[in-house]
Amino acid sequence: MAIVGANGIGKSTLLRTLANIQPSLSGGITLNKKPIQTYSPLTLATEISVVLTEHIPAKNLNVAEVIALGRQPYTNWVGKLSETDQEKVREVIDLMDLDSMKHKKCFELSDGQLQKVMIARALAQDTSLVILDEPTTHLDIYHKVSVLKLLKKIAHQTQKAVLFSTHEIDLAIQLADKILILHPQGSVLDSPENLIKNDRFQHLFPKGFVEFDTLSGSFKVKKDD
């Protein structure tokens, strides 16, 4: 599921709140019918994995080592990987098609490759919910599409819930199963098809520069008269 909206509307704040990284401004969040605040950090890490816009500081690790970090909630106090942990890492490397670069250092990777590694680390964590904040930031159009198609594949093949924020609204319309539109006058969640049919994208941005074309399902630059 994609979360879209204008800059500053609160997409990142919502995701960080859902992941219990920051306290809620109002209301409450429940996970499996329990308030999220009642979960210990370790227990919550077995339920929710998060990929933020900040990349790992230790880029001297290789790809396999970074992915293995996702198993930390399950390892013993010295962080030793069990055979189950190692098998999960191997499964994720295969799923993400990262075998050819698993021994590469992360500083050797392109932005697109590193983003795949960060998603793989979240998958190795083996949670039912994966949250990603702007996973296509700084990527070219090919890698934006590649990442979003990959997220859809993961959701469908692994039966995990994948929730991500994005500015790539046109791509989200084509690739997301559901979209949550955040708007000051009220937010709405539905399939892209229903959102288009009900003109929900028309008022996403102030009038004057861009407008939504319901026939093509995309935003168009409004030409000067």
Side-chain angles (χ1 to χ4, degrees), residues 157-171:
Q157 287 191 0
T158 67
Q159 299 302 303
K160 297 180 185 297
V162 177
L163 178 64
F164 65 96
S165 63
T166 183
H167 286 108
E168 311 299 332
I169 303 175
D170 287 354
L171 295 181

Side-chain angles (χ1 to χ4, degrees), residues 64-76 78-90 124:
E65 289 169 338
V66 170
I67 295 172
L69 291 176
R71 299 304 299 170
Q72 283 185 328
Y74 309 98
T75 58
N76 58 28
V78 294
K80 182 176 175 58
L81 297 179
S82 67
E83 179 55 39
T84 299
D85 296 322
Q86 295 175 20
E87 178 60 29
K88 178 57 66 175
V89 171
R90 288 192 291 268

Side-chain angles (χ1 to χ4, degrees), residues 20-194:
N20 205 34
I21 294 172
Q22 66 184 62
S24 60
L25 300 176
S26 63
I29 300 169
T30 60
L31 178 65
N32 298 326
K33 300 181 180 180
K34 291 172 53 181
I36 199 167
Q37 294 83 0
T38 64
Y39 284 81
S40 70
L42 185 61
T43 302
L44 190 61
T46 65
E47 300 285 349
I48 301 174
S49 52
V50 183
V51 180
L52 301 178
T53 52
E54 302 90 353
H55 282 150
I56 57 170
K59 287 192 175 182
N60 199 44
L61 296 175
N62 68 32
V63 168
E65 289 169 338
V66 170
I67 295 172
L69 291 176
R71 299 304 299 170
Q72 283 185 328
Y74 309 98
T75 58
N76 58 28
W77 65 277
V78 294
K80 182 176 175 58
L81 297 179
S82 67
E83 179 55 39
T84 299
D85 296 322
Q86 295 175 20
E87 178 60 29
K88 178 57 66 175
V89 171
R90 288 192 291 268
E91 287 177 6
V92 170
I93 288 174
D94 288 342
L95 175 66
M96 301 290 289
D97 195 23
L98 293 171
D99 190 68
S100 63
M101 64 179 73
K102 64 184 178 182
H103 298 303
K104 273 192 173 184
K105 300 292 187 181
C106 285
F107 68 78
E108 301 177 287
L109 305 181
S110 69
D111 287 342
Q113 291 171 328
L114 185 57
Q115 189 66 352
K116 285 183 69 175
V117 173
M118 301 308 292
I119 294 171
R121 184 185 69 167
L123 292 180
Q125 203 169 323
D126 199 21
T127 59
S128 57
L129 173 60
V130 182
I131 293 177
L132 307 99
D133 189 15
E134 296 289 349
T136 58
T137 300
H138 306 309
L139 302 183
D140 59 37
I141 184 63
Y142 173 83
H143 287 96
K144 289 179 191 292
V145 173
S146 177
V147 166
L148 294 184
K149 290 186 74 171
L150 177 61
L151 293 179
K152 184 167 187 174
K153 171 186 172 183
I154 290 166
H156 289 186
Q157 287 191 0
T158 67
Q159 299 302 303
K160 297 180 185 297
V162 177
L163 178 64
F164 65 96
S165 63
T166 183
H167 286 108
E168 311 299 332
I169 303 175
D170 287 354
L171 295 181
I173 288 172
Q174 298 177 68
L175 295 171
D177 295 318
K178 290 187 179 295
I179 297 177
L180 171 64
I181 299 177
L182 299 185
H183 194 278
Q185 277 68 53
S187 301
V188 60
L189 169 66
D190 211 330
S191 67
E193 295 79 8
N194 287 339

